[in-house]
Amino acid sequence: MKTHERRVGTVSRGIRCPIIREGDNLAEITVKSILEAAQDEGFELRDRDVVAVTESVVARSQGNYAGVADISADVKAKTGGGTVGVIFPILSRNRFAICLRGIAGGCRKIVLMLSYPSDEVGNSLVSIDALDNAGINPYSDTLSESRYRELFGSNPHEFTGVDYVSYYRGIIEESGAEAEIIFSNRPETILGYTDTVITCDIHTRARTKRILREKGAATVLGLDDILNAPVNGSGYNSKYGLLGSNKASEDKVKLFPEDCRPLVLDIQKRLLDACGRKVEVMVYGDGAFKDPQGKIWELADPVVSPAFTDGLRGTPNELKIKYLADNEFASLSGDALKEAISGSIRAKAADLKGDMASEGTTPRQLTDLIGSLCDLTSGSGDKGTPVILIQGYFDNYTSE
């Protein structure tokens, strides 16, 4: 008997949910929303479907917030509150501005050192062509704010229109601290100004901390060391501190969610009990992809997924169909080609590392790939779909 041939592969659905508030039972809401969507839209859950919940609503349900005053208190306690170097922040009103306001509120003076020509995630302060024309080497040269202005003038962000040099200076001064701004890509440059440093880079922070300590800094902190414990009853993140935080209001940040593992296991169990399907579950934040126009790398969170069920560990193990079609089975066509490729997929090894037929497949973690798909599906605006259901992600050309 001929089996039914599937015509659809991976499907990503945004699931609309109620507005999540602090204290809400997010696991219950997530499962109810998915089951209602399945009934209304006429689809069924299958084993190895993926349910993903955005970190934003996880943190909101946890009530994981902190105020500017909490940040200031923690910074003052950990730095002494004198002259503090704040280095390598990203250029973001949403991600860093409120953090800077809190940091400046706990210090007498901030020496703000910006990486250039762009920040860590690609937000530009000046074009590379402009550096070339001015004869500036960003790997070795340090610029003062006045020298930067003399050479490059004002450079509003392409998308936001904000001049971040002026904007960050204003935040520091409005917070009651003295501000000095310099431009350098060498961590040790800041030690010519102060030996107390908060490094604000995300993915390179371990290296930056190591260099600063090796070069003699007295106090070295990262954003992950600020609010890594409660301050006056505030929210916190024990692993990431202020990393992954977002602006909640003019004087409050929403922190990256704390300890999400129980949530993903709870959702997995509830769905298994409700419909007998073992789905995988993850919490996701920023996707890991780069915008070709603005040159911005999206990943401003410390990780794409802070928690996930065990079935999402590892990387894809896939053969490249176009490689097989163009090489091993170049002489075949039609049904013969289809059967030959299907046979190769069915017989593929459990680990294809080093196999030419897998060359060009994406060697990235499953959670980074799936989280990026989720982020693109849900967006960051008004879609109202903080839960994503992905079906067929683990299928291949032979799945029926």
Side-chain angles (χ1 to χ4, degrees), residues 300-318:
D301 286 326
V303 290
V304 172
S305 177
F308 47 88
T309 50
D310 292 342
L312 296 177
R313 297 185 188 280
T315 59
N317 189 58
E318 300 173 345

Side-chain angles (χ1 to χ4, degrees), residues 100-302:
L100 180 59
R101 183 169 287 123
I103 292 169
C107 304
R108 180 183 62 81
K109 178 179 179 179
I110 295 292
V111 181
L112 181 66
M113 190 171 88
L114 302 174
S115 55
Y116 73 103
S118 64
D119 70 7
E120 180 183 3
V121 297
N123 294 294
S124 178
L125 280 171
V126 59
S127 72
I128 295 177
D129 289 335
L131 292 184
D132 292 341
N133 292 337
I136 297 298
N137 183 345
Y139 299 104
S140 60
D141 294 344
T142 298
L143 304 177
S144 65
E145 184 178 0
S146 61
R147 181 61 172 159
Y148 168 82
R149 292 299 192 194
E150 176 187 342
L151 291 171
F152 308 117
S154 177
N155 293 274
H157 191 280
E158 178 180 4
F159 295 146
T160 67
V162 174
D163 182 321
Y164 279 97
V165 178
S166 296
Y167 180 55
Y168 281 178
R169 170 175 281 280
I171 287 174
I172 294 168
E173 292 175 342
E174 289 164 9
S175 302
E178 181 184 348
E180 181 174 359
I181 299 178
I182 61 174
F183 303 79
S184 176
N185 291 307
R186 293 179 298 123
E188 60 269 29
T189 299
I190 195 65
L191 300 180
Y193 300 80
T194 177
D195 64 0
T196 302
V197 186
I198 300 174
T199 183
C200 303
D201 46 344
I202 305 162
H203 308 292
T204 56
R205 65 188 183 274
R207 175 179 181 268
T208 302
K209 289 180 183 181
R210 172 180 58 77
I211 291 172
L212 289 168
R213 292 185 179 116
E214 290 173 353
K215 297 295 183 180
T219 301
V220 178
L221 300 169
L223 286 181
D224 52 329
D225 299 307
I226 308 299
L227 284 186
N228 56 359
V231 174
N232 300 321
S234 73
Y236 68 100
N237 189 292
S238 57
K239 185 173 184 180
Y240 298 118
L242 283 175
L243 289 176
S245 62
N246 284 271
K247 176 180 179 179
S249 69
E250 292 303 323
D251 60 0
K252 187 166 68 173
V253 294
K254 177 189 62 59
L255 300 167
F256 214 46
E258 168 74 8
D259 190 18
C260 313
R261 175 76 171 173
L263 173 68
V264 299
L265 294 175
D266 189 7
I267 293 172
Q268 185 182 55
K269 183 178 185 305
R270 286 171 183 262
L271 285 170
L272 180 63
D273 291 344
C275 55
R277 299 299 187 184
K278 185 175 182 181
V279 304
E280 303 299 339
V281 185
M282 65 184 285
V283 174
Y284 72 96
D286 275 348
F289 46 84
K290 186 172 182 176
D291 167 44
Q293 173 64 31
K295 307 299 188 291
I296 298 168
W297 185 34
E298 176 71 10
L299 186 55
D301 286 326

